[in-house]
């Protein structure tokens, strides 16, 4: 696959000084899980892809913290990721990558590069108490104090960028307040981009996907943080003798909706379809073999299958190259696009 | 990085929860900002949208101040509704586009809360057409509304009045507030960006201009379907 300079530049610039080029440049800390997906009764009407017409499809997942730091900080406020690979009946795979933030920071790859450069982690600052008082008198919430051990952070740069770019404001504002979930199984995740699904009747619909946890959404109390390392243990504990489920909800877009702009979530009043249920029954054990397997996995949001195709969202399209290039760079198990094929669709 | 978590820093962090600082904010800081950066009252009801699902299950939160908020006056308002239940229910059946509607007495207000499909003006017009006499009975209990009785002779004025007493619906996505405030001031909505951390202040100031509001457009368990489609699917005959 040919990688554009832009895709390579973005991935290279994402790497943080406290990250590692042997690991993912973002979503660096994570844990694997497995389970199966069962489509709802109505799913085939909307999407004829294999996993929506097959009664049960095995799935491999990786949950992650969004940060590119190689040090685990589960209790820091951060976006979380849930990458799902469905193992289809013909032996191929399709991926569905989601995060807890419902929208993205940029409308185009070029804007995302600008954002990445602006939000490069910088040394964290304690805002002086006098400045905090000044801000409170201006009814502006002061920036929270740094976490103990926090050295660098993208926040200052991201907020400065958002102050100048309306399109990034919602994502930056919501990311700033996103918090830490009590469990990877207790957060809702969004695929953010629009995909085009084709139903059994060949009708195409422009849609957006969300995983909703049946365990319910719950965040930690930031004033009583549980410590830097609890998400992986809780996932293993929960799945040791129970299963945990997510429903796959699909919003159907309407003419006039932002199909190709992932900075704009769709209003909650769009028609919604429950497409199926994911049951997780196993978390990766705390062994080197499991770690090697899941940490070397390479997901790709453009790994699709007949019945689902990408919208024209340019950010979605550049992710195909970015993830494949990143996979090669960190010497991971290649994703299907990492090979030599000149397949850029 | 040196740890700057001094006693003074911790004290400042706790200011928002301290009584004296809350009083200072309430009686000095917020009034100062209301004076310095007043926000226009934002209009009530759902916003115009060409999209079909935005035109079904729209919310009306009509808040009407009672002329006489004493228990006697409240009882009169309750009676005005109770004596007209048949008219209201058959009127709503005739209008046909209403999912739910109910009256509340809340604070010193009589409220009509409903979920309807389609255009707002048509909804009110249909209503006056079918149950105008009920409206007359109801608004005779309301402060500043008597001059519109009978409503069938003041249709446009009554529609305007209802719109004005319908709650502002805060946007589903917080940063959209900037654009709504800009639009209300006649500023371009794609002009220079606002500083995002001023959003909490803008919300506080908006809550001064619109003390009551609906928080977002609300949840729907079957979004995008009209009352007519739901009835049709269940085969209930109209
Ligand atoms: C231009 C936009 C984006 C770029 C360039 C980008 C880049 C990357 C890269 C390079 C990786 C590491 C891939 C690897 O080494 O295997 C990654 C991982 C990830 N990204 Fe993105 N990303 C973008 C947008 C998004 C969006 C919109 C989402 C959410 C819907 C998302 C969610 C994730 C998740 C969950 C992972 C971790 C996957 C795993 O567990 O292996 N990213 N991203």
């Amino acid at each position: 696959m040919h990688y554009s300079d832009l895709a390579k530049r973005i991935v290279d610039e994402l790497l943080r000084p406290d990250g590692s080029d042997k690991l993912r440049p973002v979503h660096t800390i994570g844990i694997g899980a497995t389970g199966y997906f069962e489509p709802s009764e109505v799913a085939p009407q909307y999407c004829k892809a294999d996993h929506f017409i097959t009664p049960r499809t095995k799935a491999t997942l990786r949950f992650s913290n969004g940060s590119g730091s190689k040090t685990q900080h589960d209790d820091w406020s951060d976006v979380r990721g849930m990458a799902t690979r469905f193992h289809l009946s013909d032996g191929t795979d399709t991926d569905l990558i989601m995060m807890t933030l419902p929208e993205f920071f940029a409308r185009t790859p070029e804007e995302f590069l600008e954002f990445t450069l602006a939000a490069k982690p910088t040394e964290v600052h304690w805002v002086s108490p006098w400045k905090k008082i000044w801000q409170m008198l201006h009814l502006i919430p002061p920036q929270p104090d740094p976490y103990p051990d926090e050295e660098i952070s993208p926040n200052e740069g991201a907020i400065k960028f958002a102050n100048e770019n309306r399109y990034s404001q919602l994502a930056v504002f919501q990311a700033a307040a996103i918090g830490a979930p009590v469990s990877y199984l207790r957060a809702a995740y969004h695929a953010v981009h629009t995909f085009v699904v084709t139903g059994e009747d060949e009708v195409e619909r422009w849609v957006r996907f969300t995983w909703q946890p049946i365990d319910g959404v719950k965040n930690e109390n930031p004033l009583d943080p549980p410590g830097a390392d609890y998400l992986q243990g809780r996932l293993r504990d929960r799945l040791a003798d129970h299963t945990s489920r997510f429903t796959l909800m699909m919003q159907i877009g309407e003419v006039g909706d932002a199909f190709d702009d992932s900075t704009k979530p769709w209003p909650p009043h769009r028609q919604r379809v429950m497409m199926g249920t994911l049951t997780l029954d196993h978390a990766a054990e705390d062994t080197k073999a499991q770690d090697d397997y899941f940490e070397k996995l390479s997901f790709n949001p453009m790994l699709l299958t007949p019945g689902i195709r990408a919208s024209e969202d340019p950010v979605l399209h550049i992710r195909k190259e970015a993830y494949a290039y990143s996979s090669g760079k960190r010497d991971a198990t290649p994703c299907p696009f990492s090979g030599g094929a000149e397949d850029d669709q | 990085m040196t740890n700057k978590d001094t006693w003074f820093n911790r004290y400042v962090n706790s200011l928002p929860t301290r009584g004296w600082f809350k009083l200072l904010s309430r009686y000095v800081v917020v009034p100062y900002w209301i004076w310095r950066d007043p926000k226009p009252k934002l209009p009530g009801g759902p916003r115009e949208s060409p999209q079909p699902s935005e035109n079904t299950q729209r919310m009306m939160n009509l808040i009407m101040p009672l002329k006489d908020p004493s228990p006697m006056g409240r009882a009169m308002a309750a009676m005005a509704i109770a004596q007209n239940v048949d008219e209201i229910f058959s009127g709503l059946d005739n209008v046909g586009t209403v999912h739910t509607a109910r009256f509340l007495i809340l604070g010193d207000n009589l409220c009509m809360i409903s979920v309807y499909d389609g255009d707002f003006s048509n909804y009110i017009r249909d209503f006056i057409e079918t149950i105008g006499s009920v409206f007359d009975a109801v608004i005779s209990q309301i402060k500043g509304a008597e001059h519109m009785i009978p409503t069938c002779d003041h249709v446009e004025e009554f529609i305007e009045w209802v719109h004005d007493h319908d709650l502002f619906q805060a946007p589903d996505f917080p940063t959209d507030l900037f654009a709504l405030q800009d639009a209300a001031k006649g500023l371009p909505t794609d002009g220079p960006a606002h500083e995002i951390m001023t959003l909490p202040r803008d919300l506080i100031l908006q809550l001064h201009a619109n003390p009551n509001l609906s928080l977002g457009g609300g949840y729907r368990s079957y979004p995008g379907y009209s009352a007519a489609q739901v009835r049709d699917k269940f085969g209930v005959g109209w």
Side-chain angles (χ1 to χ4, degrees):
Chain A
M1 180 177 183
H2 167 76
Y3 302 121
S4 66
D5 289 343
L6 183 57
K8 289 197 285 194
R9 175 90 196 276
I10 294 175
V11 175
D12 292 341
E13 297 289 356
L14 281 172
L15 185 67
R16 289 169 53 128
D18 57 354
S20 159
D21 54 11
K22 304 272 176 311
L23 302 171
R24 294 169 180 82
V26 287
H27 294 269
T28 308
I29 301 288
I31 176 171
T34 52
Y36 52 87
F37 178 76
E38 293 165 315
S40 70
E41 237 170 76
V42 297
Q45 288 172 32
Y46 296 92
C47 184
K48 61 178 185 179
D50 185 76
H51 49 316
F52 293 117
I53 56 174
T54 306
R56 186 178 273 206
T57 298
K58 285 205 160 130
T60 302
L61 288 95
R62 182 174 176 271
F63 291 99
S64 55
N65 294 347
S67 164
S69 166
K70 65 174 183 294
T71 312
Q72 189 166 350
H73 295 292
D74 288 348
D75 54 352
W76 290 9
S77 178
D78 193 3
V79 172
R80 314 292 152 153
M82 175 173 170
T84 309
R85 172 158 295 167
F86 299 90
H87 304 293
L88 306 175
S89 61
D90 65 356
T92 63
D93 295 327
T94 183
D95 288 353
L96 187 55
I97 302 180
M98 302 213 202
M99 63 173 171
T100 48
L101 193 64
E103 63 282 319
F104 198 55
F105 304 97
R107 299 169 295 190
T108 63
E110 291 77 8
E111 285 175 356
F112 185 55
L113 176 60
E114 280 174 40
F115 175 81
T116 305
L117 295 174
K120 283 242 173 212
T122 49
E123 196 186 328
V124 293
H125 290 111
W126 287 74
V127 179
S128 93
W130 296 110
K131 174 140 192 224
K132 287 183 188 168
I133 293 175
W134 183 91
Q135 287 176 324
M136 289 177 197
L137 294 177
H138 286 72
L139 301 176
I140 291 174
Q143 195 186 303
D145 290 335
Y147 294 105
D149 308 332
E150 190 177 22
E151 303 279 340
I152 55 172
S153 157
N155 292 0
E156 254 180 67
I159 288 175
K160 196 154 167 261
F161 186 84
N163 286 343
E164 286 150 20
N165 295 285
R166 276 189 189 243
Y167 62 79
S168 68
Q169 293 199 323
L170 185 59
V172 170
F173 189 77
Q174 296 200 321
I178 203 155
V182 300
S183 158
Y184 283 130
L185 302 170
R186 301 207 57 185
Y189 298 83
H190 313 274
V192 176
H193 303 283
T194 306
F195 293 87
V196 186
V197 293
T198 309
E200 279 173 339
D201 56 0
E202 298 302 319
V203 172
E204 288 192 327
R205 292 179 177 84
W206 273 250
V207 301
R208 289 188 176 178
F209 290 103
T210 296
W211 287 122
Q212 283 183 350
I214 296 203
D215 288 354
V217 171
K218 188 166 194 259
N219 260 9
E220 280 296 339
N221 173 1
L223 300 177
D224 186 18
D229 179 3
Y230 66 94
L231 286 172
Q232 305 194 358
R234 285 187 193 172
L235 187 80
R236 291 192 181 103
D237 288 349
R238 177 79 173 90
L239 298 183
D241 47 7
H242 292 91
T243 57
S244 180
R245 293 189 297 155
F246 286 85
T247 50
L248 182 63
M249 299 302 291
M250 186 175 84
Q251 258 190 315
I252 302 181
E254 294 174 4
V255 174
D257 279 335
F259 290 156
D260 303 332
D261 177 352
S262 46
T263 63
K264 292 202 179 80
W266 294 347
H269 308 152
R270 298 291 171 268
Q271 289 186 356
R272 254 178 309 133
V273 182
M274 209 280 256
M275 293 295 282
T277 310
L278 175 72
T279 305
L280 298 178
D281 53 12
H282 175 80
E285 282 122 41
D286 197 4
T287 62
K288 183 162 180 329
Q290 290 263 299
D291 210 44
D292 281 351
Y293 174 73
F294 285 102
E295 293 315 298
K296 289 282 178 199
L297 275 178
S298 299
F299 291 91
N300 194 303
M302 289 289 278
L303 185 59
L304 301 171
T305 191
I308 308 184
R309 65 181 173 85
S311 63
E312 299 297 312
D313 184 340
V315 171
L316 176 55
H317 284 266
I318 198 137
R319 286 177 71 195
K320 177 180 182 181
E321 296 172 53
Y323 285 56
Y325 169 69
S326 170
S327 157
K329 211 177 142 185
R330 67 186 169 92
D331 214 6
T333 314
C335 88
F337 301 121
S338 310
E342 197 62 41
D343 167 20
D344 216 359
Q345 283 313 295
Chain B
M1 183 199 56
T2 46
N3 188 332
K4 304 240 179 71
D5 197 12
T6 58
W7 169 87
F8 185 43
N9 183 60
R10 281 196 298 274
Y11 184 77
V12 170
N13 285 348
S14 72
L15 283 179
T17 61
R18 290 193 182 260
W20 72 266
F21 193 78
K22 283 196 220 170
L23 288 177
L24 179 77
S25 302
R26 179 166 177 181
Y27 292 107
V28 181
V29 181
V30 172
Y32 166 77
W33 281 102
I34 290 169
W35 167 79
R36 162 96 188 263
D37 185 14
K39 302 291 176 198
K41 182 177 172 215
L42 291 176
R47 285 173 279 285
E48 296 257 312
S49 164
Q51 277 136 329
S53 67
E54 295 297 314
N55 288 287
T56 56
Q57 301 181 47
R58 313 178 92 191
M59 293 187 308
M60 185 169 83
N61 305 295
L62 183 57
I63 312 296
M64 303 176 280
L66 285 168
K67 210 174 353 183
D68 172 4
S70 74
M72 177 68 88
R74 302 169 99 82
M76 302 271 282
M79 289 295 283
I81 305 297
Q83 285 173 339
N84 287 299
V85 169
D86 274 353
E87 283 89 332
I88 295 170
F89 278 40
S90 65
L92 286 167
D93 274 349
N94 283 335
V95 169
T97 53
V98 182
H99 293 251
T100 69
R102 65 195 199 277
F103 287 93
L104 314 174
I105 294 178
L106 187 73
D108 291 342
N109 302 295
L110 177 65
C111 310
M112 182 180 163
I113 312 290
S114 68
V115 176
Y116 64 95
D117 301 324
D119 178 69
F120 168 80
S121 309
N122 289 343
Y123 171 47
I124 303 300
R125 210 168 279 130
D126 283 356
F127 239 125
I128 296 172
E129 200 72 25
T130 47
I131 57 166
S133 60
V134 180
F135 269 117
D136 294 348
V138 170
I139 66 172
S140 68
Q141 306 300 321
I142 301 303
K143 208 186 284 175
E146 306 87 338
H147 63 284
M148 292 179 298
I149 301 173
T151 43
C152 59
D153 291 343
H154 300 87
V155 176
E156 297 309 317
E157 192 185 355
F158 185 62
I159 290 174
E160 241 346 274
W161 185 90
V162 170
H163 190 54
D164 202 46
H165 288 74
D166 194 358
L167 285 189
F168 165 59
Q169 301 187 5
D172 289 302
F173 307 114
T175 46
D176 287 354
L177 184 64
F178 288 141
L180 292 175
Q181 290 177 332
D182 286 347
K185 286 185 173 166
L187 299 171
T189 52
D190 55 357
H194 295 239
E195 290 202 11
I196 52 171
M197 288 308 160
T198 59
L199 185 60
R201 178 170 75 215
D202 283 348
L203 175 65
I204 293 168
L205 300 181
Q206 198 59 57
L207 283 164
H208 175 74
N210 296 80
N212 298 320
L213 48 71
S214 162
L215 295 171
Y219 169 82
R220 285 145 185 73
S221 64
Y222 49 93
Y225 296 101
S226 67
Q229 282 173 303
V230 174
R231 281 195 303 262
D232 186 46
K233 200 76 190 164
F234 284 112
V236 287
W238 101 101

